[in-house]
Amino acid sequence: MQPGLEGPSQAELEEWNTQLQEIGEQYQALMQELFEQRAPDAAADSIQADIRDAFQAAAESLMRNPQRLWETQARLVQDQFQLWQQGWRALAGESVEPLVTPAKGDRRFKDEAWHSDPYYQAIMQQYLLFAHAVDELVDDLDGLPEQQKRNLAFYSRQMVNAMAPTNFITTNPEVMRRTMETRGQNLVEGLERLRTDLANSADGLNVTMTDRSAFEVGKNIAVTPGHVVYENELIQLIQYAPSTETVFKTPLLVVPPWINKYYILDLREDNSFVKWLVDQGHTVFLISWRNPGPEQRDLTWADYLQMGPIDAMGAIEQATGEKSVNLLSYCIGGTLAASTLAYLTSTRRGRKVKSVTYMATLQDFRDPGELGVLLSEPVLEGIEAKMEQDGYLDGRSMAYTFNLLRENDLFWSFYVSNYLKGETPAAFDLLYWNTDGTNLPAGTHAWYLRHMYLENRLVEPDGIELDGVKIDLRKISTPSYFISTRDDHIAKWNSTYYGALLPKGPATFVLGGSGHIAGIVNPPHKDKYGYWTNDELPDDHEAWLAGAEYHEGSWWPHWQAWMTGNGYADPQKMVPARQPGDGELPLLEEAPGRYVKTTIPEVLGETATSSEG
């Protein structure tokens, strides 16, 4: 022992020993639960097989060109030697420039120790050099089909990011400090949280992202006043109370996605799109989808169309006397809205919709992005087999998949803070919504994944048949407004753009800043992100952007001007404000209604476990 340094006291040793025993017991219990709960299934097996095939193809490509592998290894060895030299110089007290630094926006290495402590700086640089080498190796592979190369890049990125030194106790300076300060209590609490999250997960691991006890649907989120005025097996229809003395004559029907819940559009008063729409003078009706379980296994896309928008339009006519509506749709709700319009057009009822808005909506699935990695034919067959067995796709599995598209921000950052640091997640309404998932009926979702994502049949004339009616998006004459977002990784704008080229009616395309959520839910008072407009619709999305004009702020007022300027919401035809219950429909319950409050564990008869109280 060095002079001047004192060893731990007997009491400290006993405290550490107690903590280590507790950690060991928690770990053993965790392994037992993993062994009991994680039975293999067809979906997981198909993904594992696809991963093996991708890496096998990469190995065969390298065998055909061993020079490339040798060059990559030689460069990595050279970099390691330089790093070793720099390490010695740093230990000698010399100031040296790092050989490699984290990419801008990489928040994993923000702690000062990664940049000031030679030990941690060396670990970080070794990892980054290795990560760069893997990226270059995958990029340079020859002879692989584009889809397989994309899959390989995704899988290798997942593996490399899982190996980051930030994800391990002894190579993360923040975790080491925390462990020493708490004498391991952070690890005890972290293991408890990990066991709780595993118990509340389906496939994979759904990490707790927020303090769920801080929110309650209908209490401090989804609070815009209104009533449920209609319901069937699949939907509750909410009519919101007006906030203006007069309203536009044509009602507005909002068709949200049923992957997650509608209240992303009604989180808080200051960012609620629903409240803003009401305040602009719209009579707003909104579909609240049921959270389905095994009993709804046979629901089809046609059922969603009939019991969703079409039934809702019939109910709105009863409530207001109006025979037509304006449609406002989001994500998969927009894909359904396009199907509905094509169906109505083919059955000569297209005039029931005066205008349609598509927010971050895929109609042309030519580039599904990284979601396409998990929707190849063999993987899809495994997912279909799993859904056929269960009758539904567990929404927690879907959430885990979406989180892996942004794994460092939406998975590993919470993994480190929750399980290694033992921290309690902060209260954040958006992340509460993100973890309040919905199941997906087998009959609907399997059909959607195959016909839309894999085969891209919605864009084909008569490529889709619903209730015996062949539909064609090119026949739609309803005026349409498309809003997509530039950084969207779920509905990529270089695919959503081509939906605007399909209908024969007038179409407007607008590109917002930011991503799938923030770029859409972008209230004007925040003055963020901006948007691009272009009156022309060239055949290529890049040509559209090259000729587009940038505007500051939110796209919401632009949309409202489009609605009023074209008379879809006609300022010259205002009527007295409509209160829920004024028409023929009775008030069933106050908004937000019971459908949106139903959780996955409740649907499946599980008991959710909570470590947050």
Side-chain angles (χ1 to χ4, degrees):
M1 183 178 297
Q2 295 182 17
L5 293 180
E6 297 182 3
S9 67
Q10 184 63 33
E12 289 173 329
L13 287 173
E14 290 176 358
E15 185 176 356
W16 270 106
N17 185 54
T18 300
Q19 292 287 55
L20 288 172
Q21 288 180 348
E22 175 65 20
I23 292 170
E25 291 171 3
Q26 289 280 358
Y27 181 78
Q28 288 179 355
L30 174 65
M31 291 299 101
Q32 181 66 28
E33 290 168 10
L34 277 172
F35 179 77
E36 293 173 353
Q37 294 179 11
R38 292 298 180 266
D41 60 56
D45 289 347
S46 64
I47 292 173
Q48 290 296 328
D50 194 57
I51 293 172
R52 288 194 300 269
D53 291 345
F55 281 101
Q56 177 65 30
E60 292 172 357
S61 175
L62 289 173
M63 289 175 64
R64 292 192 296 268
N65 190 357
Q67 178 73 15
R68 180 156 291 143
L69 178 59
W70 182 87
E71 289 173 352
T72 302
Q73 290 175 326
R75 186 164 58 252
L76 188 58
V77 169
Q78 184 179 22
D79 289 340
Q80 292 289 337
F81 181 70
Q82 284 186 266
L83 187 60
W84 178 76
Q85 288 181 314
Q86 284 192 343
W88 279 110
R89 289 164 57 193
L91 287 173
E94 185 178 344
S95 177
V96 294
E97 287 293 319
L99 193 61
V100 61
T101 57
K104 184 179 179 181
D106 188 344
R107 294 180 290 181
R108 293 175 296 176
F109 302 100
K110 63 183 180 181
D111 189 82
E112 179 58 29
W114 293 113
H115 309 281
S116 60
D117 186 307
Y119 170 74
Y120 288 114
Q121 190 176 51
I123 291 174
M124 178 188 71
Q125 292 187 86
Q126 285 176 341
Y127 167 74
L128 293 176
L129 289 171
F130 169 72
H132 291 169
V134 172
D135 286 345
E136 290 177 6
L137 197 60
V138 172
D139 287 343
D140 292 341
L141 287 175
D142 294 327
L144 295 184
E146 192 61 34
Q147 180 177 334
Q148 193 166 51
K149 192 170 183 178
R150 177 200 63 188
N151 292 9
L152 179 65
F154 177 80
Y155 293 140
S156 62
R157 192 189 80 208
Q158 297 297 326
M159 295 181 69
V160 167
N161 284 335
M163 295 167 59
T166 47
N167 300 335
F168 301 92
I169 298 170
T170 57
T171 52
N172 185 321
E174 291 180 271
V175 175
M176 286 300 292
R177 286 198 302 270
R178 180 83 170 173
T179 303
M180 297 304 292
E181 290 167 0
T182 68
R183 288 179 169 80
Q185 183 61 29
N186 56 308
L187 302 179
V188 173
E189 294 174 358
L191 280 168
E192 289 176 350
R193 287 193 171 91
L194 177 55
R195 290 176 61 191
T196 297
D197 286 351
L198 279 169
N200 292 333
S201 301
D203 300 315
L205 171 63
N206 295 100
V207 294
T208 298
M209 295 181 170
T210 185
D211 178 4
R212 295 189 58 82
S213 65
F215 302 101
E216 184 179 344
V217 176
K219 279 287 186 68
N220 54 1
I221 48 178
V223 294
T224 300
H227 279 81
V228 174
V229 295
Y230 171 82
E231 70 176 55
N232 59 30
E233 179 191 355
L234 188 57
I235 74 165
Q236 286 192 317
L237 183 66
I238 299 171
Q239 180 181 354
Y240 289 96
S243 60
T244 55
E245 292 186 1
T246 59
V247 294
F248 296 110
K249 188 173 185 291
T250 305
L252 180 69
L253 172 59
V254 182
V255 186
W258 57 88
I259 299 174
N260 284 104
K261 296 179 178 177
Y262 83 78
Y263 64 84
I264 186 61
L265 301 175
D266 188 29
L267 277 176
R268 300 184 313 274
E269 185 172 323
D270 71 332
N271 69 352
S272 170
F273 193 26
V274 168
K275 183 180 185 303
W276 186 86
L277 292 168
V278 170
D279 290 344
Q280 306 316 300
H282 295 280
T283 302
V284 178
F285 291 83
L286 180 142
I287 291 174
S288 174
W289 300 100
R290 180 177 189 159
N291 198 345
E295 296 80 8
Q296 287 76 43
R297 65 178 301 137
D298 295 325
L299 287 175
T300 66
W301 189 263
D303 290 329
Y304 267 77
L305 179 151
Q306 297 287 2
M307 290 192 283
I310 290 181
D311 274 7
M313 283 187 268
I316 290 171
E317 184 175 350
Q318 288 183 277
T320 67
E322 294 297 320
K323 296 182 181 300
S324 62
V325 301
N326 291 303
L327 276 184
L328 176 68
S329 58
Y330 189 12
C331 192
I332 192 175
T335 310
L336 182 70
S339 304
T340 302
L341 271 173
Y343 177 85
L344 291 173
T345 299
S346 292
T347 55
R348 299 185 178 182
R349 292 179 287 168
R351 291 186 178 179
K352 291 183 71 65
V353 180
K354 189 171 286 189
S355 75
V356 60
T357 298
Y358 302 107
M359 303 186 294
T361 292
L362 283 168
Q363 296 178 25
D364 188 325
F365 288 74
R366 65 178 64 189
D367 183 4
E370 288 188 331
L371 274 177
V373 173
L374 303 176
L375 293 173
S376 62
E377 179 62 44
V379 172
L380 182 53
E381 288 177 359
I383 295 173
E384 289 172 335
K386 174 68 172 171
M387 284 193 284
E388 176 63 26
Q389 172 186 311
D390 296 341
Y392 63 95
L393 178 64
D394 195 304
R396 293 167 294 190
S397 299
M398 178 67 75
Y400 176 68
T401 299
F402 280 131
N403 289 344
L404 289 185
L405 301 181
R406 290 291 183 269
E407 67 279 3
N408 285 333
D409 292 333
L410 295 178
F411 183 82
W412 289 113
S413 64
F414 292 101
Y415 178 94
V416 172
S417 62
N418 291 6
Y419 311 141
L420 303 188
K421 296 181 185 178
E423 295 175 345
T424 301
F428 187 17
D429 55 358
L430 177 60
L431 291 178
Y432 177 89
W433 167 84
N434 192 51
T435 56
D436 185 19
T438 54
N439 296 325
L440 306 167
T444 305
H445 202 62
W447 184 93
Y448 167 66
L449 294 179
R450 180 165 293 280
H451 286 74
M452 307 290 189
Y453 270 99
L454 193 63
E455 299 174 359
N456 198 17
R457 290 175 58 180
L458 186 59
V459 298
E460 299 175 9
D462 300 332
I464 298 290
E465 184 175 313
L466 300 169
D467 282 347
V469 176
K470 293 183 177 180
I471 64 172
D472 185 353
L473 300 185
R474 289 167 177 78
K475 295 180 180 178
I476 296 173
S477 57
T478 305
S480 53
Y481 183 104
F482 289 76
I483 170 68
S484 297
T485 57
R486 193 166 186 177
D487 299 327
D488 196 329
H489 63 289
I490 294 172
K492 296 181 67 174
W493 88 270
N494 62 330
S495 269
T496 61
Y497 174 79
Y498 294 97
L501 305 183
L502 294 170
K504 72 176 184 180
T508 297
F509 185 85
V510 177
L511 183 65
S514 195
H516 192 72
I517 301 298
I520 297 299
V521 184
N522 183 22
H525 71 87
K526 293 191 175 181
D527 196 26
K528 295 176 70 174
Y529 305 132
Y531 61 97
W532 290 262
T533 60
N534 185 346
D535 292 336
E536 303 297 322
L537 286 176
D539 290 339
D540 179 73
H541 68 282
E542 291 293 354
W544 181 92
L545 185 59
E549 178 184 0
Y550 176 75
H551 309 269
E552 298 284 351
S554 170
W555 62 272
W556 293 5
H558 181 270
W559 172 84
Q560 177 72 0
W562 177 80
M563 291 284 287
T564 57
N566 290 290
Y568 313 133
D570 193 343
Q572 303 304 316
K573 297 180 180 179
M574 307 297 284
V575 299
R578 306 176 177 109
Q579 295 290 341
D582 281 352
E584 298 177 12
L585 297 180
L587 302 180
L588 301 182
E589 59 178 313
E590 288 191 4
R594 68 187 187 283
Y595 276 16
V596 73
K597 294 180 180 180
T598 308
T599 66
I600 290 176
E602 288 170 342
V603 169
L604 302 180
E606 301 173 355
T607 302
T609 306
S610 174
S611 62
E612 306 304 334

